[in-house]
């Protein structure tokens, strides 16, 4: 077998069920203590993924095996331990009480294995952030990081929700403070997120938007990823009792911002995403920005927090965020 190249490959190589397994001594059968139960690591991995994702199909996709293989592994595991571990239905699979306890322990164990391997053989430096932050904030500034640290190779993970640093191979993440962080994460709330209405100069002249009351004659737009943007802005700007009707919803911030550029209406967006448009005059902010309900946070994988390239990236992100979003 060729040498494994990644932490996942190393774990998978260790899980060859033909030659490897975990020995478990049944606690209630003292007479069998000399003949320990031998459990397949592949079966344990299949069960942990299914319990976590609540789906055989999703587990099969994550593990790159067939739905049938996952099902067979779990049946074999249930037969071995003599307990039902999942409740199966047309909607998916939910762990039983005993299954949930096993799944929690396995998740911790597999994360520990991979993080231990990562410390021996570190993976690439990977930054996770949303597509919008990548497009509108990070890419215009990325050359500054490359010029300061030409020796650092940086990869990207496009996402905006919870992070599993080990499973997703993420080193550092930019996240909003409203998102629940992993319990062991190294976290720094760096800067406030400023939010407000923006539109094209032509739309501003057409609708004559000079005060909050003028928004009543404008077409208000939001991103589906931030449906409460107008309510949040109204509350943070001291207009909590104002009724604001959203007229159009776009799937992503980058579509919302493009719609505002094209004069389709007034978009409520984070300032960090439109700074360059405001500087160039493509967009205007007739009512300025207010400090929103969220803060911008940097999350760091705990097992990588002292790696030199991670420290360089985190320090740079911290300085850039503080400079652009004071």
């Amino acid at each position: 077998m060729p040498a494994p190249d990644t932490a996942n490959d190393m774990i998978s190589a260790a899980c060859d069920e033909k030659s490897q397994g975990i020995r478990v001594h049944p606690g209630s059968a003292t007479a069998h203590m000399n003949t320990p139960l031998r459990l397949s690591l592949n079966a344990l991995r299949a069960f942990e993924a299914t319990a976590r994702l609540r789906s055989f199909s999703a587990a099969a996709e994550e593990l790159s095996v067939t739905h049938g293989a996952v099902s067979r592994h779990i049946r074999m595991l249930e037969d071995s331990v003599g307990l039902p571990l999942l409740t199966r239905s047309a909607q998916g699979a939910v762990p039983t009480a005993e299954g949930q306890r096993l799944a929690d322990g396995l998740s911790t164990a597999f994360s520990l294995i991979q993080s231990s391997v990562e410390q021996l053989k570190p993976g690439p430096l990977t930054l996770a952030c949303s597509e919008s932050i990548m497009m509108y904030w990070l890419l215009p500034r990325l050359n500054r990081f490359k010029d300061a640290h030409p020796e650092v190779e940086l990869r990207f993970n496009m996402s905006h929700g919870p992070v599993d640093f080990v499973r997703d191979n993420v080193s550092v993440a930019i996240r909003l403070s409203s998102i629940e962080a992993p319990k062991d994460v190294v976290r720094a709330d760096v800067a406030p997120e400023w939010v407000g209405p923006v539109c094209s100069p032509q739309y501003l002249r057409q609708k004559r938007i000079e005060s909050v009351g003028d928004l009543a004659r404008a077409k208000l737009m939001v991103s589906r990823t931030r449906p409460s943007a107008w309510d949040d802005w109204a509350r943070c700007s001291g207009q909590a009792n104002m009724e604001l009707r959203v007229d159009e919803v776009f799937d992503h911030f980058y579509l919302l911002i493009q719609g505002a550029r094209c004069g389709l209406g007034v978009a409520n967006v984070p300032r960090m995403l439109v700074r360059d448009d405001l500087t160039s005059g493509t967009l205007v902010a007739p009512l300025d920005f207010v400090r929103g309900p969220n803060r911008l946070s940097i999350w760091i994988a705990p097992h990588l927090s002292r790696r030199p390239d991670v420290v360089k990236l985190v320090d740079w992100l911290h300085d850039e965020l503080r400079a652009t979003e004071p």
Side-chain angles (χ1 to χ4, degrees):
M1 179 185 294
D5 293 325
T6 68
N8 278 332
D9 292 337
M10 296 175 82
I11 294 174
S12 297
C15 292
D16 183 349
E17 64 180 343
K18 294 181 181 179
S19 59
Q20 298 290 333
I22 291 179
R23 294 185 178 186
V24 177
H25 294 277
S28 60
T30 306
H32 294 165
M33 291 295 282
N34 292 326
T35 57
L37 183 64
R38 192 175 181 87
L39 301 180
S40 161
L41 283 175
N42 275 348
L44 294 171
R45 292 186 73 203
F47 168 70
E48 186 276 335
T50 303
R52 171 167 41 83
L53 299 171
R54 301 296 199 264
S55 166
F56 287 97
S57 298
E61 182 177 354
E62 179 177 294
L63 298 173
S64 300
V65 297
T66 65
H67 180 288
V70 170
S71 181
R72 286 193 300 273
H73 278 311
I74 294 175
R75 286 288 187 193
M76 180 178 65
L77 181 60
E78 289 177 320
D79 290 343
S80 297
V81 300
L83 291 169
L85 299 174
L86 293 173
T87 299
R88 296 155 173 85
S89 70
Q91 288 71 41
V94 178
T96 63
E98 294 84 359
Q100 189 61 61
R101 284 196 294 271
L102 177 60
D104 291 343
L106 290 174
S107 295
T108 300
F110 288 136
S111 293
L112 178 60
I113 291 171
Q114 187 149 357
S115 64
S116 297
V117 172
E118 282 282 344
Q119 293 179 50
L120 294 175
K121 185 182 179 181
L125 177 64
T126 302
L127 171 65
C129 63
S130 70
E131 292 89 344
S132 298
I133 288 180
M134 179 73 173
M135 289 174 62
Y136 292 120
W137 185 83
L138 184 61
L139 284 179
R141 294 162 177 78
L142 192 57
N143 267 340
R144 292 207 282 268
F145 178 77
K146 292 182 176 293
D147 290 344
H149 306 290
E151 76 286 358
V152 176
E153 178 184 358
L154 181 59
R155 298 186 185 181
F156 302 99
N157 175 298
M158 299 294 98
S159 60
H160 61 269
V163 175
D164 185 320
F165 287 101
V166 173
R167 187 181 68 243
D168 301 333
N169 293 316
V170 168
S171 314
V172 179
I174 301 174
R175 287 293 185 266
L176 290 179
S177 57
S178 58
I179 300 173
E180 184 177 358
K183 62 180 180 179
D184 295 329
V185 71
V186 179
R187 172 177 173 169
D189 289 340
V190 178
E193 184 189 49
W194 294 80
V195 296
V198 298
C199 62
S200 69
Q202 295 82 0
Y203 193 85
L204 177 66
R205 289 193 295 270
Q206 178 188 350
K207 298 298 180 179
R208 303 186 308 279
I209 301 172
E210 298 178 355
S211 67
V212 173
D214 296 334
L215 292 173
R217 55 174 173 262
K219 185 176 182 180
L220 305 186
M221 308 185 299
V222 296
S223 166
R224 199 176 304 278
T225 56
R226 198 82 67 91
S228 64
W230 280 104
D231 290 338
D232 291 342
W233 172 81
R235 186 173 62 256
C236 293
S237 60
Q239 307 289 333
N241 296 325
M242 184 179 184
E243 291 188 12
L244 296 169
R245 186 190 70 255
V246 174
D247 298 289
E248 190 159 0
V249 180
F250 291 86
D251 284 339
H252 303 284
F253 268 120
Y254 51 82
L255 297 176
L256 173 65
I257 293 169
Q258 184 61 26
R261 288 175 182 148
C262 295
L264 299 183
V266 181
N268 200 297
V269 298
R271 184 177 63 184
M272 70 181 300
L273 302 184
V274 292
R275 273 193 169 277
D276 292 343
D277 285 300
L278 295 171
T279 300
S280 67
T282 306
L283 292 174
V284 292
L287 304 176
D288 209 351
F289 295 87
V290 297
R291 189 187 294 251
N294 298 311
R295 291 185 63 81
L296 295 161
S297 299
I298 298 175
W299 296 357
I300 310 165
H303 61 287
L304 301 177
S305 61
R306 295 184 180 180
R307 249 176 60 174
D309 55 351
V310 170
V311 172
K312 291 175 182 177
L313 175 62
V314 170
D315 286 347
W316 181 81
L317 289 172
H318 187 279
D319 292 344
E320 288 289 328
L321 286 170
R322 282 287 180 87
T324 57
E325 295 300 302

